[in-house]
Amino acid sequence: MRPDIEHLPAHPQELMAVEPLWKRLKYDRLCNFAPEDAHQLNEVVLGELEASRDDQPRLRSLFHASDLPLPRASHTDKPKITDAAHT
């Protein structure tokens, strides 16, 4: 008996709950932003992600729009997004 092979897209949208968030950052929030260097880009992106993190209704809607269950917080979750280069 041979298994049936089903071709799937490389990044199925219904399993990528954060894809709409990245699209919003890329095409709306940062579309005309021209950073002076990678450090400035990193700072601005981290700031936008921090603001998105505080918008819990929007984040819940991303998961409701996908086929994924809502993530559960664990005791190891960190409270804020940090820049690894500054820690």
Side-chain angles (χ1 to χ4, degrees):
M1 176 176 206
R2 292 181 57 170
D4 291 332
I5 297 175
E6 185 174 340
H7 293 281
L8 299 173
H11 300 285
Q13 293 285 332
E14 58 275 1
L15 297 178
M16 301 287 286
V18 297
E19 189 65 28
L21 175 63
W22 285 116
K23 282 184 179 179
R24 179 177 178 264
L25 289 178
K26 183 176 179 181
Y27 296 113
D28 181 29
R29 304 292 300 155
L30 302 174
C31 67
N32 292 318
F33 175 63
E36 293 178 14
D37 55 24
H39 178 73
Q40 183 187 22
L41 176 61
N42 189 54
E43 291 294 318
V44 170
V45 169
L46 286 175
E48 290 292 336
L49 289 174
E50 188 68 36
S52 295
R53 180 183 184 147
D54 293 337
D55 189 354
Q56 290 298 305
R58 179 185 301 275
L59 294 178
R60 271 197 248 21
S61 73
L62 297 177
F63 278 91
H64 287 302
S66 76
D67 289 341
L68 296 173
L70 286 173
R72 293 188 302 175
S74 72
H75 66 283
T76 59
D77 286 344
K78 294 189 178 193
K80 294 287 181 183
I81 297 172
T82 60
D83 183 357
H86 290 42
T87 58

